[in-house]
Amino acid sequence: MPIDAPRDGQDLVVVANRLPVDVTLDEAGEPSWTRSPGGLVTALAPVMSRTKGAWVGWGGSPGLELEPFDVDGTELVPVMLTDTDVERYYEGFSNDTLWPLYHDVIAPPQFHRQWWDAYQRVNERFAQAAAANAAHGATVWVHDYQLQLVPAFLRALRPDLRIGYFHHIPFPPLEIFAQLPWRKQVVEGLLGADLIGFQRGGDAANFVRIVRRLTDLTTRGQMITVDEGTPSQRHVRAQAFPISIDSHAFDQLARTQAVQERALEIRRELGDPEYLLLGVDRLDYTKGIRHRIKAYGELLEDGRLSATQTTLVQVASPSRENVGAYQQLRDDVELLVGRINGDHGQVGHAPVQYLHQSFPMEEMAALYLAADVMLVTALRDGMNLVAKEYVAARSDERGCLVLSEFTGAADELVGSVLVNPHDISGMKDAITYAVHLDPREARKRMRRLRRRVLTHDVAAWSGQFLSALTAVPVRDGHA
Ligand code: F6P
């Protein structure tokens, strides 16, 4: 049932699983907030500061009920998730059903009807919060796989809105998507949007093909016609908008004296290895961390890399620790690291420096600057912003990026050394090539990479998405 627009609603409403702030509770249970450093926050901060905006999202703590509050002129609207919602909607359906399904079923997706019920219930809650905060004719931008039903729920409540949705992770081919028992409902949920953005052209094409096979809607190129021949007929556009980072800010950060000095210090602390290799990931089974460490271990074993002259720093930030597949992965990675260090380490030198921690941006920039070779070997990744951060940090035009062809970034980052992470022998050759790369060739590659990353930054990404959304003709009289 449609509801009326609120009198003091916002012109732009972002809807994402998480709010752009991290909540911490003190001993008395009182919340305080700090800005979270995520890419989406950076991307949207300038747009939000120009517009009367609201951000609807979860505060990150189960059971936390809070009134909306203002941060730098943006109204933050917390959505409450109970313990059961977190377990079934977030850890369950989002991260143990959709996440593995949409990442090539690298881990087996779990299908549970109770999880699906929770996903629907929570999506409806997010839609209601957005509907209650959007001005008449406002633009609402919904983000990611946790909230695929929000566009249709929201359209039913507020047909006057212009609704955009951006999918940050891969969208799978029909043959995989079709496993989902609720596949049709998910497609219908997404089709509530006017514009559906994907990371790659291939993701958008997968979606349109799925629409053709699972519905009887008419499609023409990227356009899908909904409610054809009725007064509510409209067109939905499915298009690629590859996301990026705040490349200039990152470039500037990496040029600061503090970061430059820290980079040198990191190398010294590691015993001045001849070659420093780096991996930076959330500890997630999609990231190919095991494949990478296995290839590295074999290179040491074969004597193609010297265990005393080489160090691999692997930052693996803790993630989704209540989900079984993530717990298993942690055990597997730590076993492998222990074996390699046990076999090839010496007193005072471990060939793998494994850090199960998160670090501030300054430390990450210093690590990128210190590394001779950056290893991004994801088995499947929507984009991979670490690859772009490495490039943005390298104003010295040195270093080499080894990049999995199964990342969205591989479509853009010409100049990287592409690998198939399933091919361990091929990956060993690529790592060897990168380690011994001629400095002139490395510079040529890095220049090309930097041109792309610095021209296509996150402001360009959000600008392009929002202009395309604004260009969509919307019913109900607003231009
Ligand atoms: O890449 C998808 C994504 O959901 C991001 O939006 C998010 O920053 C990251 O994964 C971590 O996910 P979570 O919010 O589950 O910790």
Side-chain angles (χ1 to χ4, degrees), residues 389-411:
E389 285 176 1
Y390 179 68
V391 170
R394 297 311 304 240
S395 59
D396 59 356
E397 296 177 344
R398 294 173 63 188
C400 180
L401 173 64
V402 173
L403 181 63
S404 161
E405 56 191 78
F406 302 120
T407 60
D411 282 10

Side-chain angles (χ1 to χ4, degrees), residues 17-18 90 95 99 144-146 168-169 282 319-320:
N17 179 52
R18 289 184 190 270
Y90 171 69
N95 290 322
W99 183 267
D144 226 357
Y145 63 103
Q146 303 95 341
H168 291 249
I169 69 172
R282 271 187 313 103
S319 185
R320 306 175 185 165

Side-chain angles (χ1 to χ4, degrees), residues 329-345:
L329 173 74
R330 181 171 179 192
D331 289 348
D332 293 348
V333 167
E334 293 181 358
L335 184 72
L336 193 58
V337 169
R339 281 215 177 124
I340 293 174
N341 284 338
D343 287 346
H344 301 285

Side-chain angles (χ1 to χ4, degrees), residues 306-415:
S306 149
T308 51
Q309 304 295 328
T310 318
T311 302
L312 166 64
V313 173
Q314 176 62 58
V315 175
S317 49
S319 185
R320 306 175 185 165
E321 291 181 289
N322 289 329
V323 180
Y326 290 74
Q327 293 164 353
Q328 182 61 51
L329 173 74
R330 181 171 179 192
D331 289 348
D332 293 348
V333 167
E334 293 181 358
L335 184 72
L336 193 58
V337 169
R339 281 215 177 124
I340 293 174
N341 284 338
D343 287 346
H344 301 285
Q346 288 183 352
V347 173
H349 179 74
V352 185
Q353 292 277 327
Y354 167 74
L355 301 160
H356 183 240
Q357 297 162 47
S358 302
F359 293 97
M361 239 34 230
E362 291 74 13
E363 183 71 357
M364 296 315 305
L367 278 165
Y368 293 141
L369 265 186
D372 301 304
V373 175
M374 180 79 215
L375 300 172
V376 176
T377 60
L379 306 176
R380 175 60 74 198
D381 208 333
M383 174 53 63
N384 197 288
L385 297 180
V386 163
K388 293 190 173 179
E389 285 176 1
Y390 179 68
V391 170
R394 297 311 304 240
S395 59
D396 59 356
E397 296 177 344
R398 294 173 63 188
C400 180
L401 173 64
V402 173
L403 181 63
S404 161
E405 56 191 78
F406 302 120
T407 60
D411 282 10
E412 284 179 73
L413 295 187
V414 182

Side-chain angles (χ1 to χ4, degrees), residues 138-394:
T139 295
V140 179
W141 191 358
V142 183
H143 288 267
D144 226 357
Y145 63 103
Q146 303 95 341
L147 301 176
Q148 293 171 103
L149 309 181
V150 168
F153 279 136
L154 188 55
R155 183 165 297 280
L157 290 168
R158 294 285 308 275
D160 59 295
L161 298 174
R162 185 177 262 130
I163 304 172
Y165 169 90
F166 186 76
H167 194 79
H168 291 249
I169 69 172
F171 205 86
L174 171 71
E175 290 69 18
I176 289 181
F177 184 76
Q179 290 180 22
L180 185 69
W182 309 281
R183 58 203 186 183
K184 191 128 188 277
Q185 291 95 313
V186 167
V187 168
E188 283 164 0
L190 289 169
L191 288 172
D194 298 295
L195 176 65
I196 308 179
F198 296 93
Q199 299 283 21
R200 300 175 317 137
D203 297 316
N206 282 346
F207 178 72
V208 174
R209 179 160 171 255
I210 285 167
V211 169
R212 272 205 303 273
R213 291 292 293 274
L214 299 184
T215 73
D216 52 10
L217 301 178
T218 307
T219 68
R220 202 157 166 227
Q222 303 179 315
M223 296 301 258
I224 302 150
T225 308
V226 177
D227 292 336
E228 197 165 3
T230 75
S232 49
Q233 171 171 320
R234 62 192 177 85
H235 299 291
V236 180
R237 179 189 282 270
Q239 195 183 328
F241 296 88
I243 199 169
S244 192
I245 57 166
D246 191 350
S247 355
H248 294 276
F250 217 87
D251 171 68
Q252 288 306 314
L253 175 67
R255 287 175 196 262
T256 58
Q257 202 182 340
V259 168
Q260 303 258 337
E261 281 172 6
R262 176 66 189 140
L264 294 173
E265 190 180 54
I266 287 172
R267 285 194 82 111
R268 271 199 307 277
E269 285 174 351
L270 291 168
D272 276 323
E274 196 174 352
Y275 304 117
L276 178 56
L277 280 58
L278 176 65
V280 172
D281 311 85
R282 271 187 313 103
L283 186 51
D284 193 300
Y285 51 81
T286 59
K287 303 291 184 184
I289 301 171
R290 277 185 298 122
H291 297 62
R292 172 190 319 161
I293 297 178
K294 185 175 165 61
Y296 176 67
E298 285 191 17
L299 285 170
L300 299 180
E301 191 67 44
D302 302 345
R304 289 168 74 186
L305 285 179
S306 149
T308 51
Q309 304 295 328
T310 318
T311 302
L312 166 64
V313 173
Q314 176 62 58
V315 175
S317 49
S319 185
R320 306 175 185 165
E321 291 181 289
N322 289 329
V323 180
Y326 290 74
Q327 293 164 353
Q328 182 61 51
L329 173 74
R330 181 171 179 192
D331 289 348
D332 293 348
V333 167
E334 293 181 358
L335 184 72
L336 193 58
V337 169
R339 281 215 177 124
I340 293 174
N341 284 338
D343 287 346
H344 301 285
Q346 288 183 352
V347 173
H349 179 74
V352 185
Q353 292 277 327
Y354 167 74
L355 301 160
H356 183 240
Q357 297 162 47
S358 302
F359 293 97
M361 239 34 230
E362 291 74 13
E363 183 71 357
M364 296 315 305
L367 278 165
Y368 293 141
L369 265 186
D372 301 304
V373 175
M374 180 79 215
L375 300 172
V376 176
T377 60
L379 306 176
R380 175 60 74 198
D381 208 333
M383 174 53 63
N384 197 288
L385 297 180
V386 163
K388 293 190 173 179
E389 285 176 1
Y390 179 68
V391 170
R394 297 311 304 240

Side-chain angles (χ1 to χ4, degrees), residues 435-451:
V435 160
H436 299 298
L437 191 61
D438 166 59
R440 269 174 312 176
E441 170 66 12
R443 184 173 297 261
K444 212 168 95 193
R445 285 173 176 268
M446 190 52 78
R447 274 201 188 137
R448 194 154 183 201
L449 289 168
R450 285 179 62 76
R451 261 201 304 277

